[in-house]
Amino acid sequence: MDAATMTKPAVLILLGPPGAGKGTQARMLEEKFGLVQLSTGDLLRAAVAASTEAGKAAKAVMEAGKLVSDEIVVNILRDRLAQPDCARGVILDGFPRTTVQAGALDALLAESGQGINAAINLEVDDAAMVTRISGRFTCGDCGEGYHDTFKAPVVAGTCDKCGSTNMKRRADDNAETVASRLVAYHEQTAPLIAYYKARDVLKSIDAMGDIDTIAADLAAIVKQATA
Ligand code: AP5
């Protein structure tokens, strides 16, 4: 089913530690189902680049691999969710990350009579995440994500999607910051697995395989959860 035939806008959440493949898979789901990917990491990086008040407050926290305050993140997400394109349905990538954020999301969705179709947990081994993150780069023009080993562009240095040669690496993609991000994930975000299990919307998939196999598994879950 595509977004046009869904009765209520779908709300899907991707859970998983840094490097689990949330962004990679969210972009594929966006293309396949016509949904909108909402990455709070991308929204925060845009705020940092634009030097907004929220961006100034978030910059050092992100560089340290810690979580930005719930207040800032919920405000950013609320503004983005209110934009018209989100009526197509959304894939939340990197939000919520605390039980406070999860409660705020429930309240926001309740205002428009919406609920969560599925919270999908990407199960991975922490040890592999440093390799995934340290090889990551992204097209600075269209945002397509790549990996030195696991998802290299067809022509080295050139984006498969838009032809740009403006490739970027993230400032927080170093071993030390990844270690902090993994600690933050286990302490503050992993409890959301139980949170969504208790609400009967949790789905889990093995996310240690290849990108296309995981995409197929995810697509089957999304089809079922939005039917
Ligand atoms: P954010 O941007 O959300 O980063 P993250 O959660 O740390 O996740 P990543 O983007 O690192 O990983 P991913 O799961 O998307 O993996 P990807 O698909 O790129 O957050 C950054 C910071 O912002 C946070 O640390 C925090 O400070 C702040 N923040 C954001 N949201 C917040 C919130 N809600 N509350 C508070 N603070 C917040 O894949 C990684 C690499 O692996 C890529 O190169 C990819 O090509 C490759 N890859 C993907 N899948 C596979 C596979 N199956 N096999 C092999 N390689 C693969």
Side-chain angles (χ1 to χ4, degrees):
M1 181 177 292
D2 63 21
T5 53
M6 290 171 185
T7 47
K8 265 190 202 173
V11 179
L12 299 154
I13 296 171
L14 294 185
L15 293 172
K22 303 181 294 294
T24 302
Q25 296 297 336
R27 286 178 68 84
M28 294 170 87
L29 289 173
E30 187 175 53
E31 275 185 21
K32 188 169 174 66
F33 292 93
L35 302 165
V36 176
Q37 174 197 14
L38 296 188
S39 156
T40 41
D42 287 348
L43 293 170
L44 286 165
R45 280 184 286 280
V48 170
S51 280
T52 64
E53 284 310 309
K56 284 181 203 160
K59 187 170 186 290
V61 181
M62 293 173 77
E63 281 170 359
K66 301 201 183 314
L67 293 190
V68 175
S69 78
D70 291 328
E71 191 190 357
I72 288 177
V73 177
V74 169
N75 283 338
I76 284 184
L77 198 270
R78 181 190 295 115
D79 291 349
R80 182 64 186 89
L81 265 181
Q83 290 174 19
D85 61 334
C86 292
R88 298 192 339 238
V90 296
I91 308 158
L92 297 173
D93 156 12
F95 183 94
R97 255 167 150 111
T98 64
T99 48
V100 171
Q101 292 178 20
L105 176 64
D106 289 341
L108 269 177
L109 295 175
E111 284 170 17
S112 52
Q114 283 176 269
I116 292 161
N117 296 68
I120 309 167
N121 182 34
L122 305 185
E123 293 180 333
V124 289
D125 300 333
D126 274 13
M129 297 305 102
V130 178
T131 312
R132 282 200 192 172
I133 286 178
S134 54
R136 169 167 56 190
F137 57 98
T138 305
C139 173
D141 290 346
C142 75
E144 184 67 7
Y146 294 98
H147 190 278
D148 291 324
T149 310
F150 307 126
K151 191 187 166 197
V154 176
V155 177
T158 302
C159 179
D160 295 345
K161 291 265 161 160
C162 74
S164 169
T165 53
N166 176 25
M167 297 295 189
K168 296 202 159 149
R169 291 186 192 254
R170 272 168 48 179
D172 61 345
D173 279 353
N174 56 74
E176 195 187 333
T177 310
V178 173
S180 302
R181 284 158 60 196
L182 284 167
V183 169
Y185 169 78
H186 286 290
E187 287 181 359
Q188 293 167 274
T189 308
L192 294 181
I193 295 169
Y195 183 96
Y196 287 116
K197 189 166 189 214
R199 281 155 184 76
D200 213 18
V201 290
L202 182 76
K203 307 278 177 196
S204 292
I205 63 166
D206 176 359
M208 287 303 295
D210 67 82
I211 292 173
D212 289 338
T213 304
I214 297 162
D217 291 348
L218 265 175
I221 290 174
V222 171
K223 262 190 199 151
Q224 196 186 33
T226 56

